[in-house]
Every structure is written in structure tokens, then in C-alpha cells.
Amino acid sequence: MDSVVHRLDARAKIIVFLTFILVGVSTSPSSFPVFGLLAVGLVSIALAARLPLGHLGKKVLKTLPFVFFVALSIPFMKREGGGVEYSLGFRGMSISQSGLWILWNVLVKASLSIFSIVLLYSTTPFPKLIKEWRSYISENFHRPLLLHVSLFVHRDRRNAENETGKGLQRLR
């Protein structure tokens, strides 16, 4: 695809999307307008990039069950200072209001962060991202840990895909 967003420098996109993620993660759970603005901003970028929202949404929805599974136990945690609890009427189980707020917090922040990352790699080829990320880090930081982690994850994913393909060929 060719759009204004696709033609932007990869370093600029990395900074913009990392800023979206940092703002989203540092926002208070009750700041609904900020979350709304972040979502509108990300959707606007996706529309400017002429990317199908349904396709992006499917990619985000594929990762959210893992986040939800991890966060599922949070509402059942007891708060030390008391707080409001709701009885489920099943074997004495209850959920806490503070746990529900934390669950909301985790889900909304993870959703926005994942959407940012999906949008970033949908508008920039991965090798170009790594190249620009490497140059940005080497210019600004002495320890490119994030770069090495990114390369490691990408290499492992490719190796896993190759091994899966070989295994499927053996089954045929």
C-alpha cells in the first residue's frame, strides 16, 4: 500500500506509536476521555494509512484472549483495606470492585498498546523497522536491549514457522 503513513520515516512512526503506548499505560483507569482520544487517534491513523479496520481488529482480537486469561483472576483478589465486594452466590466466591477496575485497566491498556503495535508493523516492513530502530538506539543509547529482544523474538518466530512447516511436510 502507498499512503502518507506508509511513506513516513520509520523512526518517526516508532516514536509516535511508543508515545501512544506510554500515554495509554500511564493514564489513570478512570480517564475514559483519554482512552477515547487514543482510540480515535489510532483509528484515524489506520484510516489515513488506508488499512481495513476489520483486518486490524481481527489481529488485535487474536491476542486479547491471552491478556484476558492472565487478567481473569484479578477481580477475585481480596483488597486488604476492605472495599466493595460483590457475592457471586457460588461457593462463597466474590469479586471486588477494585479488582474489576484493575481488570478494566489491564484490558483497555493492552488493547490500545496491541493496536498500536499492529498498526506500526502493518505500515512498515519488519526489516526496515529493525534497521531504523537499530540506528535510533545506537545514536541515543549505549545498551540496545530492546533491539536484541526484538531480533530474538523475530528470529524465534521464523524458526518456529520453519520447524512447523517441516513437521507438516513430514506428516504429509
Side-chain angles (χ1 to χ4, degrees), residues 116-147:
S116 294
I117 293 168
V118 167
L119 198 51
L120 177 62
Y121 78 73
S122 295
T123 58
T124 310
F126 190 78
K128 188 173 182 179
L129 273 176
I130 292 299
K131 179 184 172 203
E132 297 298 335
W133 186 244
R134 180 181 290 156
S135 69
Y136 176 75
I137 287 178
S138 65
E139 291 170 7
N140 297 304
F141 302 103
H142 295 293
R143 297 174 192 235
L145 177 63
L146 288 174
L147 172 66

Side-chain angles (χ1 to χ4, degrees), residues 49-123:
R50 295 188 216 127
L51 295 171
L53 292 178
H55 179 68
L56 294 173
K58 285 179 187 177
K59 288 186 176 195
V60 172
L61 288 176
K62 285 179 185 177
T63 59
L64 284 183
F66 300 105
V67 174
F68 187 72
F69 181 73
V70 169
L72 189 61
S73 65
I74 294 173
F76 297 100
M77 295 190 315
K78 303 273 188 226
R79 192 167 187 189
E80 290 180 17
V84 179
E85 289 194 19
Y86 306 103
S87 175
L88 297 178
F90 178 73
R91 297 184 180 227
M93 290 180 70
S94 62
I95 55 175
S96 66
Q97 186 177 20
S98 62
L100 289 173
W101 272 109
I102 295 170
L103 176 65
W104 152 257
N105 193 24
V106 168
L107 289 178
V108 73
K109 290 178 180 185
S111 300
L112 290 171
S113 298
I114 292 168
F115 192 81
S116 294
I117 293 168
V118 167
L119 198 51
L120 177 62
Y121 78 73
S122 295
T123 58

Side-chain angles (χ1 to χ4, degrees), residues 30-50:
S30 60
S31 298
F32 302 113
V34 175
F35 292 128
L37 287 173
L38 287 171
V40 167
L42 290 171
V43 168
S44 299
I45 292 171
L47 292 174
R50 295 188 216 127

